[in-house]
Amino acid sequence: MKRLLPFLAALIATPAAAQLPQLSDADLTAYAAKTYDKAAMMEQHVTLGVHNGVAVVADFPCSDVCPDYTTRIIHYAIGPGPACTAAGGVSVVRMVPYSIAEVEKEFCVPKVVAGAR
């Protein structure tokens, strides 16, 4: 039960999770393959839906030369670690724009898009 607490807390903290669309592997793969407008999406946080019972979000951080350096990070709305593994995700390190550089940050990513950038 102790290992499930972070996972359960993430589900409870997900706003209106029951009302979000259910996402398939194909939905996530298609979204990850789509191009996006870096200027329009810069600094946005988008809840895409629910996959494997967990909310999936896309963050579009940018720093320094924006919107050119806007990047997209698709991930579960839970942190890396045991809760991530229990949800069927994988912990992945992504480079996130920060100031005039980039920093490594670990995310819980659906397996199906773990290799997508």
Side-chain angles (χ1 to χ4, degrees):
M1 181 68 174
K2 202 174 201 181
R3 292 185 349 201
L4 288 177
L5 287 178
F7 177 69
L8 294 174
L11 287 177
I12 293 168
T14 302
Q19 298 174 3
L20 296 173
Q22 296 297 312
L23 301 171
S24 67
D25 286 355
D27 294 331
L28 290 174
T29 301
Y31 183 79
K34 282 177 36 177
T35 60
Y36 60 96
D37 182 328
K38 290 183 176 192
M41 296 309 296
M42 181 177 65
E43 301 303 336
Q44 298 295 312
H45 174 83
V46 180
T47 301
L48 303 175
V50 176
H51 181 258
N52 291 342
V54 181
V56 178
V57 298
D59 289 312
F60 296 84
C62 189
S63 186
D64 193 26
V65 182
C66 293
D68 294 345
Y69 291 171
T70 300
T71 188
R72 175 176 56 195
I73 302 169
I74 302 165
H75 61 98
Y76 284 127
I78 56 176
C84 177
T85 304
V90 293
S91 296
V92 175
V93 173
R94 297 279 193 239
M95 297 303 291
V96 178
Y98 182 79
S99 187
I100 62 169
E102 291 182 310
V103 295
E104 291 182 344
K105 186 172 178 186
E106 194 171 14
F107 295 91
C108 178
V109 177
K111 283 181 188 177
V112 69
V113 295
R117 293 287 176 182

